Every structure is written in C-alpha cells, then in structure tokens.
Amino acid sequence: MSLSSPIAYEDAASRIFGAALVDGRAWEKLAFLCDRIGPRLSGSPQLERAVRWSAERMRLDGADKVWTEPVMVPHWIRGFERARIESPIDWRMELLALGGSVATPAGGVYGAVVEVVDLDELSALGDSVRGKIVLFNRAIVSGFDGENGYGSASGLRVDGPSAAARQGAIATLIRSLGTANFRLAHTGALRYADDAPRIPAAAISAEDAELIHRLIASGSIVRVRLELGCQTLPDAESANVLAELTGRERPDEIVLIAAHLDSWDVGQGAHDDGAGCAMVMETMALLARLETRPRRTIRAVLFTNEENGARGGRDYAARHGDDRHVVALETDSGAGPPIGFGVSAGPGGVEWVRQIADRLAVIGADQVAPRGGGADIGPLEEFGVPLMSLMQDPTHYFDWHHTHADTLDKVDRAALDRNVAALAVMTFALAERESTVPRPEPARIDR
C-alpha cells in the first residue's frame, strides 16, 4: 500500500516511533563520537576524523547519497590559561579563554577590576575603565530566552571585549554563562570589532565572580593577573557532511534536518551538539529502513564550525539556498527530554506543525512554539525557507554547556531515544504529507 494513504501513513509513523524507542542506535553513535573521537574544535584533527566517520556511518546506515563539501574554518588554539586575584587576597580562579581571544603579553596583564552588569553600565563609566580589567558579572537562569536566560547575556561575551577595549580596558572577564555553581568555567566565542583594539578575554566561574563582587562591595580594590597563551593560525580545511534519502515522488523537494559536528575543545561536546548529530544520523538510519521512501527527499547536514564562525551554515546557504527546501529543521539544544518544536513560518505554520506534533504527546514532545530555527539553518531564512527546531527541556543544558563537563555521562539514554523518535516521526511527516509548512510572506513570519 502506498505511504500516501492515511492507513499506511499511520503505520509507518508507528513503526518509526517503535524502532526509535526499542532498537535505535543513537547512543552507540553518540558514544563513539564522544569517547573515541572527543572534542572537535574547528581546525582540529578530531573534527576532521568526525567528518570522515559520520559520512561513512551514514553510508553504512543506508543513505542513498553521502558527500562532503569543503569549508575553510578558523583555527584557534587555546594554549595555557591562568588567572589569580593577587590583591587584597591570593586566589587562583577557574577560567577558560573565550574562543578567538588574543594572547596576553609575556607575564600577563595585571590591573584593578571594574565590575559591571551590562554594556550600558560599562558605557556610563566612560574612560574610568582605562588601564583596568572589566568583569561582566551577570547571572543567568535556565533557558535560552527570557529576561535572564542565556540569550539575554550572551551578547556580553560576544561584544563585551570590544566595547571595553574602546574605553581603554586592558582585558575582560565574564561570569560564565552557566546555571549551576560547580566552579566550572564556560567558554564561548567572542567577536572582535574592527574599530577597537583586541584585548584578551576569558570566562571565570560563577563562584570566582561572586568572590570578586564581595571583595569590591567591601570596599577593596581587587587586582587580577591574567595570562593566556592563545594562538590564531591560518584557516584550516574542513567540510559539511551531507546525506540524502531520495523522495519517491518529489525528489527535488527537500526536507532538511541538521545539527553541527564541531564542538569546543573542552569536554566531549556531548550535549553541544554531539547529541544532535546522533539524532540526525539515527533518524536517517530509521527512515532508510522503510520499505518505501517518503514522497520528498530528506537531506541531512552535519555542519562544521558552528561554534566559532558559523561558516558551515553560511557556506551551505551560498551553495544550496536556491534548492527547493520545503522546510529546514535543526537540533542544537542538547539531549534533555524532548518537549516539542519551534516554528518560524508563514501564517498558519504553527497550526500546521501542531497537527503532527499532537501524535507525540505520549513522549511529551507535543508543544509547538512560534519560534524556530538555529544558527546553521538561519541563513536560509532569506530564501524564504520555513525554519524549525527540536526543543528539549533546558533545565540542565546550561549546567554543562561549553565546559569540561559536557561529557557523555551527562546524557540520559532514554531521553536521547525519545528525541530520535520525535525527530524521526516529524521528519517523516514533513516529507510525506501532501501539503507543506506555509512559507513566510515577505516581511512577515510566525515566530
């Protein structure tokens, strides 16, 4: 019976769901990526090994076509990193250089610390920060959005160093963008502006930021020495990994599912975004085993260089923006229990997706929110492609995000399988349904 009929459609979805929960191999894929390959920063041998391994694995899992597309990526090396409070007490701080930071001069930089909570407070200080080290000390709570979520503070990490440098600061520190006080430092990318000096920048643990705050509040002048041995080397060769299951009726129409293969150089990149890669790869493996392909082509992309440059996503859009994508769906929110999908689409897009997501209530993945997408598929928005994201419970994601502790043991195997089930059923439906997610109208998008 054709999968286009309602009976076969329900049967196929049930078989996909059952296979993902019972005999899926996402955990096996994630374990190999984490334990056998390890951290995968752009320019590293580990990332290029991951490119080769994931391509070969998707071939073995039954993809009709697998290929790689070269991308030149930044090659930044962390080097040594040390920071101490030297006055009014002696205290070694936990830190990680921010990705892309310049090194300190020999012997480091030494100066008094000025504490601010945001860029407005920094700006109000004017030249009084000249010759000093600026500490951005803002706590966040669980979640990606909201007044105190990750998104509300990430700009301090990205743009803070250049903002401080314009006012004469010699370095910046930032309270780690984490949600658990484990005395962990959380790295992440910065962006140097062309109109500002490049000064060294690092993240310190929440506990160390609080210590500095208390010392300053007591009336002390806090002086810190920061030493970083970072290097930026010439761009390196990398690649996006692509695989396809060819549609039976409309092979030129593409349902894109994606994650990013690179990670920071600390931890194993288990939640960010090894789990997403395992979900995408296992979804392709499950759908390859269907007796009949869905009517549209499913294309998987494992992007390179999301963490410190987003060049993989931009390269893909430049090469494939004019391909007939009917929707692009990204998973880059860890491996917490799935809760549903975000959707950025034309009018009625949320309701369209909700018709599919309702069947995922049994695993708690039936929420549909009017905002979807991701860093890597974001460039496709200008081509009018509806964007979606698989949403997970974010309660603990930022406990481990960008730290030495983002390791396989933090991933719950059952939750990973539920994520695969949600992604695989949604992907199948997107590729099989007669209608497609409404495309955005000019200057209007549901989000």
Side-chain angles (χ1 to χ4, degrees), residues 195-206:
D195 64 346
R198 297 190 171 198
I199 60 175
I204 60 174
S205 72

Side-chain angles (χ1 to χ4, degrees), residues 160-179:
S162 288
R166 292 189 192 99
Q167 295 174 220
I170 58 173
T172 63
L173 302 173
I174 183 171
R175 179 192 182 118
S176 284
L177 303 183
T179 49

Side-chain angles (χ1 to χ4, degrees), residues 138-143 148-154 175-180 398:
R138 179 172 176 176
I140 68 167
V141 297
S142 297
N148 295 305
Y150 176 80
S152 70
S154 60
R175 179 192 182 118
S176 284
L177 303 183
T179 49
F398 290 106

Side-chain angles (χ1 to χ4, degrees), residues 100-269:
S101 176
V102 297
T104 59
V109 295
Y110 177 74
V113 176
V114 176
E115 181 187 25
V116 298
V117 296
D118 56 30
L119 295 177
D120 289 338
E121 188 171 327
L122 170 66
S123 180
L125 293 177
D127 287 345
S128 67
V129 303
R130 187 168 301 278
K132 297 176 182 176
I133 297 173
V134 172
L135 167 64
F136 295 100
N137 192 0
R138 179 172 176 176
I140 68 167
V141 297
S142 297
F144 291 86
D145 304 307
E147 183 178 351
N148 295 305
Y150 176 80
S152 70
S154 60
L156 299 177
R157 188 195 69 216
V158 174
D159 299 319
S162 288
R166 292 189 192 99
Q167 295 174 220
I170 58 173
T172 63
L173 302 173
I174 183 171
R175 179 192 182 118
S176 284
L177 303 183
T179 49
N181 292 348
F182 298 142
R183 203 154 185 251
L184 282 171
H186 297 238
T187 192
L190 58 74
R191 179 175 57 222
Y192 285 126
D194 293 336
D195 64 346
R198 297 190 171 198
I199 60 175
I204 60 174
S205 72
E207 292 88 341
D208 292 327
E210 284 296 306
L211 173 59
I212 291 174
H213 172 78
R214 293 194 300 272
L215 292 172
I216 291 175
S218 73
S220 296
I221 297 175
V222 177
R223 290 184 171 87
V224 164
R225 185 176 303 278
L226 173 67
E227 299 175 87
L228 301 178
C230 313
Q231 299 179 63
T232 298
L233 303 179
D235 286 355
E237 294 182 2
S238 187
N240 290 333
V241 181
L242 297 87
E244 284 186 350
L245 299 173
T246 305
R248 73 176 190 276
E249 290 180 6
R250 303 176 189 173
D252 58 332
E253 294 185 3
I254 296 166
V255 172
L256 173 66
I257 58 173
H260 70 84
L261 196 53
D262 65 308
S263 75
W264 282 106
D265 55 326
V266 294
Q268 295 177 321

Side-chain angles (χ1 to χ4, degrees), residues 3 13 27 38 42 60 94 150 152 187 209 237 269 277 291 298-299 305 310 320 394 396 398 434:
L3 287 175
W27 179 265
S42 292
L60 294 173
E94 294 294 329
Y150 176 80
S152 70
T187 192
E237 294 182 2
C277 292
E291 293 180 3
I298 299 168
R299 178 183 292 172
N305 186 230
H320 298 286
H396 295 292
F398 290 106
E434 179 64 35

